[in-house]
Amino acid sequence: MKIGQDLLVLSFDPPKALEDLIVDPACPRTGPAVLLFADSIDLDLWAKEPLEPQKALWTEVAIGYGCEVKGEPATAFHYPYLLLSGAKSDRGVAVADVEMTRFHAACPDYEGGAPGRRCAATARTIGGRPIADLDVTLQQPQTQTPAGLLRWVNRVRYGDVTAPGDSIDRGLWFVPAIDPQVADLWTGVGSATFGEGMGWSGAVRGEAWSLGVVYDLVAGERL
């Protein structure tokens, strides 16, 4: 499956309460915490006719952290802190209402990155509870993404709707972007505010990234 995404990413030093919430002992944290917003499209599905473009789109918000897999940097986004909208949501995982990020190629009047340009994204649960708000100020173009940003480790663990309080754990999965093609890559500074829909409330600041990427995605490898 070929995927296209516009990403806003914030890396920051996590407060201990947030670290305790998102870090899985089976996948230790070796780098900063990461908040990611993505406007996404299934390019293979979009290319099929007839198809309304909206049916190939989804948005997501994820909170994770830097880790290592196979001796190299990666980024861990574990369920339930990987939230997808609409039909792309995984079974049993609460979906998020993620508003489109501003100032990327899919938006009207987009003119490309520029120093001082602001980007923003917000996410709410379907019930309207705040998950996260992100504000980014671009500073300069870059040629290389942060190490491990496009190599993902997910712990796929769902709440068991047939047994409240129990979970169905499918373990850790390595899901790398294959042959990523990155464009419009900028770095800057940003801040984020987390709310009750995240499970932790507070504000953080850190280094920010904005980019577009196209890559292939196949079934993950169980670790």
Side-chain angles (χ1 to χ4, degrees):
M1 179 168 61
K2 187 171 289 293
I3 302 295
Q5 291 186 313
D6 287 296
L7 303 176
L8 280 181
V9 181
L10 181 71
S11 62
F12 59 94
D13 186 25
K16 186 178 185 305
L18 179 61
E19 180 176 22
D20 291 344
L21 186 67
I22 63 175
V23 174
D24 191 310
C27 182
R29 183 173 78 89
T30 59
V34 177
L35 171 64
L36 177 146
F37 279 84
D39 297 326
S40 311
I41 184 168
D42 182 334
L43 293 170
D44 290 335
L45 186 59
W46 187 44
K48 295 179 180 179
E49 294 292 344
L51 177 70
E52 295 181 7
Q54 292 85 347
K55 293 183 178 179
L57 300 172
W58 77 96
T59 52
E60 61 188 77
V61 58
I63 177 68
Y65 55 93
C67 65
E68 290 187 359
V69 61
K70 299 180 181 291
E72 296 183 25
T75 306
F77 291 118
H78 303 316
Y79 296 94
Y81 307 112
L82 173 58
L83 298 154
L84 286 70
S85 68
K88 293 293 182 180
S89 176
D90 293 84
R91 286 182 304 155
V93 177
V95 297
D97 181 11
V98 184
E99 293 185 9
M100 298 288 280
T101 54
R102 290 183 277 128
F103 300 124
H104 63 71
C107 291
D109 302 320
Y110 177 74
E111 298 177 349
R117 177 155 288 169
R118 290 183 61 233
C119 308
T122 186
R124 301 289 183 269
T125 68
I126 293 301
R129 294 183 301 157
I131 297 172
D133 294 287
L134 174 63
D135 190 277
V136 171
T137 300
L138 304 182
Q139 292 181 325
Q140 58 188 356
Q142 293 289 334
T143 59
Q144 189 170 349
T145 58
L149 179 63
L150 301 175
R151 303 174 78 242
W152 305 300
V153 179
N154 302 140
R155 187 170 198 104
V156 184
R157 180 163 48 198
Y158 307 106
D160 188 347
V161 296
T162 66
D166 292 341
S167 63
I168 300 172
D169 191 346
R170 297 186 59 222
L172 290 171
W173 292 79
F174 177 45
V175 188
I178 299 172
D179 191 26
Q181 302 168 53
V182 175
D184 205 19
L185 175 62
W186 283 74
T187 189
V189 294
S191 62
T193 302
F194 295 93
E196 60 176 313
M198 169 66 213
W200 177 80
S201 297
V204 298
R205 297 187 61 85
E207 185 177 18
W209 297 81
S210 173
L211 65 146
V213 63
V214 173
Y215 57 89
D216 287 307
L217 190 68
V218 299
E221 173 189 349
R222 189 162 189 169
L223 296 176

